[in-house]
Amino acid sequence: MATVRIPLVGSFNQRGVDGTITLTASTDQRFLNCIFDLIHNPITGKSTIYVAKRPGWVQDSVVAAGSASTAFIRPQSFTAGISAFGETNSVIYFGSTNVGTITGRALHLTEMNVSSVDYVMIKSSDGTGWYYADGAKDVTAYTADGNNSTTITDIKVAGSNSTSGLYPGQLLTASANIVAGTRIVSVNSGAFTAVLDTATVDGAFNDLAITKTPIAKILDTDFITTGTQQSAFVEMDGYLFYVVDGTGRLYNSDLNSITAYTSTNFLSPNMSPDPPIAVARHKDKIIVLGQGSREVFANNANVSGSPLQRIPQYFSKIGTLDQRSVTTIEDDIYFVSAPSDGDIGVYQISELQHKRISTPQIDRIVGNVSSTSGAIYVNSFRMSGYSYVGLFLSLASDGPGSNLLLESGDALLLETGDNLLLEDTAGQTASFARLLVYNIELQLWSEWDCDEATFIDGISSGSANAILATSRVVTGGKIYRIQPSADGQVFTDDGSAYTMEIRTSKMDLGTSKRKRIKSIRLICDSDSTGSATLEWSDDDYATWSTARTIDLTSKEPKLTACGSHKGYRAYRLKHTGNAAFRAEALEIEYESEANKIPGK
């Protein structure tokens, strides 16, 4: 009688030249809805690695019922997250409070602090830039005087002179005198005045009731809004940086300003002919990613033009798909590379050096999504003591379509779409493929089938472990959370059960001769009420045996009389209950014809 232990932790082992892009693939080794945990004993030097069921998502709030999210961030200095919902023109929310509508679809959110004010910068699909200043929603009603000019005076809040919460680019409305669509150009807090982009009408007025929209638009004409792929904003040393593929330039704001731009404030990342499409910050460096290259820049404190200077020795011929395929956690950048050399991969940039973190099997899966014009959203988070990178794969394209949207919401018909972002339809929210999750410390991949988590960010304040998420494909308009301190251990997604599945590679136990399986023991944690099921396939995953139940309440969860097989066998372990599950291995006791003595 022989005994062998089969670890329940491993890597994807997917066959074929191209990966299967959906979760329905029924062959080869997989880890669905799993996370991994390594326990090391420094005294004995022994390490034990476990596979566990991932935690589930709980509804945190309903923000915009009937809409899918387009972006989400949980700023460090804010008391709530900033989210965007809506396909054509996104509505921006502070927590569950509507703080205004932008033109186009909100794509990228960036946190920034200037002159002790915290902001979330917003880049839209129509190329426009927007921002929300912390506290801007707290006051929305004002009174002011005016007289057919672009300046309003004697601004008051509740009868006292104040410009609190007024910022350039905010929309103003009133029952009279204020022209529809009027925005603030500048605010003089000392004189309690504001300059508008449109003159007031119908003569003089006093103490006119005015309402402002908290979200503000960047109005500077030197801010570039063209381009077919919109980058995010990135902050460093009091500047905002962004790239435009149509011009091939890296632009920056004026120093210590998010609203002021100068036409000469740019440089050109031109060590490679591909256009720049994404930007990220790595410690005190700005990294520009093109479709097939990477360039690095440092602050050189130039008095005019861009403050940056290129560091040419860090140039490399690896680019990215687009800005949504780039994420940063702590000091490292993770991104999905463009197929400029024929294949897609997932890379890490650490200490300005890059390395591929995806296996060939993961590359085949991700590359197949890209080849179908799917969208890949990359995010990062910390959970249960580990750092993760998540690749949310959608089969529907999130790219250009057919209409350029104006601020009014009307469509502009163009003869060509050169250097203009063409807004796509709501069809991009239709299809979820899978969420690939990479444990950075353990360097292990798994896959989740939760479509709730396109955009994931951690709660930045307090001591509670928690992450929040919104979905690009679910139209419930919700924010979700994983927060064990508040919710306990939850193993459902928004109330719906999911299945953890571990599928092993084929194993022949060292011989092609027949093996009789006497027993299979699951080495796992016991559970007061739970159970799991085990199946096996002896024909290359074509068919599976009838599932047998393993009693997790037993001190020795075990199946006996498990049949026999020649050649290879694969196993499939499932756990479906709303309960925790953690295991190490399957211990198989068997007899092999290879061990028989001839003639006996």
Side-chain angles (χ1 to χ4, degrees), residues 362-379:
I362 294 295
D363 289 349
R364 293 199 290 266
I365 294 170
V366 176
N368 209 16
V369 170
S370 179
S371 69
T372 62
S373 298
I376 303 175
Y377 302 88
V378 180
N379 52 70

Side-chain angles (χ1 to χ4, degrees), residues 24 60 62 143 175 178 202 258 292 316 345-346 354 366 401 446 496 514 516 531 580:
T24 59
D60 182 80
V62 179
T143 61
S175 60
I178 303 293
D202 298 330
I258 62 172
S316 68
V346 185
H354 67 264
V366 176
S446 63
S496 298
R514 183 168 297 279
R516 291 178 175 84
S531 64

